[in-house]
Amino acid sequence: MTHARIAIRGVRHFIATGLPSMELPEAATQTYKKGALVTFVAGYITECGADPALIAGIAERDGQNIATSGLKRVSVTLAHPATLFLGYLDTSAAEGAGVSAATDRGLSYGVAKNAATGKWYIDKTDVTAKRVTIWELWDQVSDAGLPAWGDIMTPVLFTFAAPFCNITAVT
């Protein structure tokens, strides 16, 4: 079964009762999509680049493409190792064809952005720039049905690795 590309979002925080979220000032000309990985650049939220060194969190709405930094704020679900996120597993080698396997559970992979849709995903082919760990399938029904290992673009639950979370990074 092939699943739709989904925006990354927070699902549950293991320590607090709610997801850690903040309204933060957005940098100028940001056109990222909801679910984008974001970081701080010169004190403003901007979309991460490839293999991000630090991840502030996940944008809860699209970038507002403002002319001046700080005129608008964006809600961000903060990247924290104790927060479970939902995303989809794919491959940069053949986007839209990434097949999941039960052996993906517990493994760490990189993240990438689909150039056509602007949606970020867990890149099963990136075992060098590891940023996330896969925990389990998303056990909710999607538009295509209940996800199973062996599906394409499978929705999975994951956490960010501590060294790459702004909230836990040591400077």
Side-chain angles (χ1 to χ4, degrees):
M1 172 183 325
T2 300
H3 297 272
R5 290 180 174 92
I6 57 174
I8 293 175
R9 67 180 171 97
V11 176
R12 180 175 40 155
H13 190 64
F14 295 116
I15 299 169
T17 56
L19 291 172
S21 180
M22 290 185 74
E23 290 278 327
L24 298 166
E26 185 176 86
T29 66
Q30 294 301 300
T31 58
Y32 52 77
K33 300 293 183 195
K34 177 181 178 178
L37 277 65
V38 294
T39 191
F40 289 103
V41 173
Y44 297 100
I45 289 294
T46 186
E47 186 170 22
C48 289
D51 302 332
L54 285 176
I55 303 164
I58 303 299
E60 294 177 10
R61 64 173 172 258
D62 291 352
Q64 299 166 81
N65 198 17
I66 54 174
T68 306
S69 293
L71 291 182
K72 297 280 185 172
R73 296 176 80 75
V74 60
S75 294
V76 174
T77 303
L78 303 178
H80 189 281
T83 301
L84 199 58
F85 289 88
L86 169 65
Y88 72 97
L89 188 62
D90 204 353
T91 66
S92 57
E95 284 186 53
V99 178
S100 64
T103 54
D104 291 320
R105 191 185 296 120
L107 295 182
S108 296
Y109 296 120
V111 291
K113 178 181 166 183
N114 180 287
T117 65
K119 290 186 178 174
W120 285 77
Y121 61 93
I122 295 96
D123 183 1
K124 183 175 175 167
T125 55
D126 186 352
V127 294
T128 304
K130 299 173 182 179
R131 302 296 187 264
V132 304
T133 299
I134 303 295
W135 290 101
E136 188 58 273
L137 293 172
W138 176 239
D139 61 357
Q140 306 296 316
V141 175
S142 73
D143 291 340
L146 195 62
W149 296 116
D151 286 355
I152 297 171
M153 296 188 314
T154 310
V156 293
L157 298 171
F158 69 93
T159 52
F160 285 103
F164 304 103
C165 298
N166 265 112
I167 200 165
T168 60
V170 177
T171 56

